Amino acid sequence: MGERTPQTDAVAPVEVASGVHRIDSPLGERFTSLYLVAGPAGVLLYDTGVDGTIPAHVLPALGMLGRTADEVTAVVVSHCDVDHFGGVADAREAFANARIVAGADDVPLIEDYDRYLTERARGFVADYGWDEDPAVLAWCRSVTREGALDGVAADGERIDLGADRVIEVLSVPGHSHGHVAIDVPWADAVLVGDAVLADSVDLADGTPAFPPTYRYVDDYLATVARLEGLDRGLLLTAHYPTMHTDASRAFLARSREFVERLDQLVTDALTAAPAGSTFAELLAHLNSVAGRWPVAGTEGALAFPVAGHLERLTGRGRARRVGERDGVAIWAAA
Ligand SMILES: [Zn+2]
């Protein structure tokens, strides 16, 4: 007794390209893929998972690769969602030599859970009179142990892992303002987290779980275009299978096509109700027509792109807030 029992449920890392190791950590019926990028002088961890993912899955994976926790020199948190930053305190405890960073706009939300709640998880209360399900919020709190970061991962920043293994940070906003990706030139691979999300986020078996949760539409489309221009042979995401060239291109095309389709669906919904619709009414209608995910419990995810489209349509003079009903804002076509 008193000795650490070995983790028997740890998933083995998969080397998807030279020095790039994928770890699919379980997340209910879904998974979150974390990545270790290894060079002779250091190891980079992309994303921390939820609280407990690092001790349960990342540390065993490092051991299977013959590396130690002290060799992890960089932890890059892709963005400010709990399945990606919930393990930040674990990272601090596990990796004494690592610099833990995220995109500048996401750092304050990752470090301060109240700001994450106000600006992200409950970010639709102020403008839309709509709030996330308390059960979802309780789950978010239960899987997160936040902590201070060491700084910012800026676009174009290079991290040297030794020999010719130098990665580059890419700013890929849209899902969040500060989302960052990692370009791995020697492996012709790019790690993108949730920067692009096709036409649904999926369960582990590939069936749709909920809508693509992009939030800032023009930024998101620019990120899709940037990744298309980069055209890496391997597209490595957080919630989808490993994609090679043709599948990567199709995934990016699906991401853009969904944006165009939802923009039209939001426009149509606003036009069909000239007296105005609340955000909740728009979500209820659009959730049943926009995709193949289950309707129950997925409004909170759809809130992200629908708010994004409402804001873009308003900015283009095609939608407007026409007043309030029972104290809740209503929206119509302009
Ligand atoms: Zn995610």
Side-chain angles (χ1 to χ4, degrees):
M1 304 302 277
E3 266 177 61
R4 288 185 66 160
T5 50
Q7 292 286 344
T8 52
D9 60 345
V11 292
V14 175
E15 187 166 19
V16 292
S18 178
V20 182
H21 306 271
R22 171 177 171 142
I23 305 165
D24 286 355
S25 64
L27 186 72
E29 289 182 82
R30 300 166 53 215
F31 61 84
T32 302
S33 304
L34 281 58
Y35 296 88
L36 292 167
V37 184
V43 177
L44 177 147
L45 171 65
Y46 185 62
D47 274 332
T48 70
V50 295
D51 184 28
T53 299
I54 286 173
H57 297 289
V58 178
L59 296 179
L62 279 166
M64 290 180 223
L65 298 174
R67 306 298 291 254
T68 67
D70 286 348
E71 292 179 85
V72 176
T73 51
V75 176
V76 178
V77 181
S78 67
H79 69 285
C80 58
D81 279 331
V82 297
D83 51 329
H84 302 262
F85 81 84
V88 160
D90 283 337
R92 176 67 66 202
E93 290 161 9
F95 307 125
N97 299 320
R99 186 164 183 269
I100 307 175
V101 294
D105 287 334
D106 284 16
V107 167
L109 283 71
I110 292 168
E111 292 186 324
D112 180 347
Y113 197 81
D114 285 339
R115 276 196 69 173
Y116 161 76
L117 271 185
T118 307
E119 297 176 30
R120 184 80 173 163
R122 304 187 63 200
F124 309 104
V125 175
D127 288 343
Y128 299 100
W130 190 90
D131 204 356
E132 181 56 278
D133 181 344
V136 173
L137 296 173
W139 176 82
C140 290
R141 178 65 279 183
S142 73
V143 299
T144 304
R145 225 163 31 98
E146 65 276 23
L149 304 189
D150 297 314
V152 160
D155 188 63
E157 182 179 334
R158 289 181 165 81
I159 299 174
D160 191 344
L161 300 174
D164 290 328
R165 297 200 162 178
V166 181
I167 67 87
E168 183 174 334
V169 174
L170 306 179
S171 175
V172 286
H175 175 61
S176 70
H177 281 310
H179 199 302
V180 289
I182 297 291
D183 188 34
V184 189
W186 77 80
D188 192 24
V190 61
L191 319 182
V192 300
D194 292 353
V196 283
L197 296 160
D199 47 9
S200 62
V201 178
D202 297 341
L203 300 177
D205 68 5
T207 59
F210 54 80
T213 47
Y214 59 89
R215 176 67 181 82
Y216 309 103
V217 179
D218 290 319
D219 285 349
Y220 184 72
L221 289 173
T223 284
V224 171
R226 182 175 192 182
L227 294 172
E228 286 178 327
L230 189 65
D231 199 28
R232 287 293 183 209
L234 265 183
L235 182 67
L236 299 169
T237 64
H239 306 295
Y240 305 89
T242 295
M243 288 174 275
H244 295 266
T245 312
D246 289 346
S248 310
R249 291 172 183 162
F251 186 89
L252 293 169
R254 283 215 311 286
S255 301
R256 184 177 42 254
E257 286 156 12
F258 182 88
V259 171
E260 291 163 359
R261 205 163 67 77
L262 187 57
D263 203 63
Q264 189 60 52
L265 288 171
V266 173
T267 302
D268 293 347
L270 293 171
T271 305
S277 305
T278 64
F279 193 61
E281 288 166 348
L282 288 170
L283 294 182
H285 164 67
L286 292 165
N287 212 14
S288 61
V289 298
R292 294 178 296 117
W293 51 81
V295 168
T298 52
E299 296 92 342
L302 191 64
F304 284 82
V306 170
H309 284 287
L310 270 180
E311 287 160 15
R312 188 166 78 145
L313 290 168
T314 301
R316 294 178 173 191
R318 291 166 53 200
R320 67 193 178 95
R321 184 180 159 146
V322 292
E324 290 188 354
R325 192 190 306 143
D326 302 327
V328 177
I330 55 173
W331 305 79

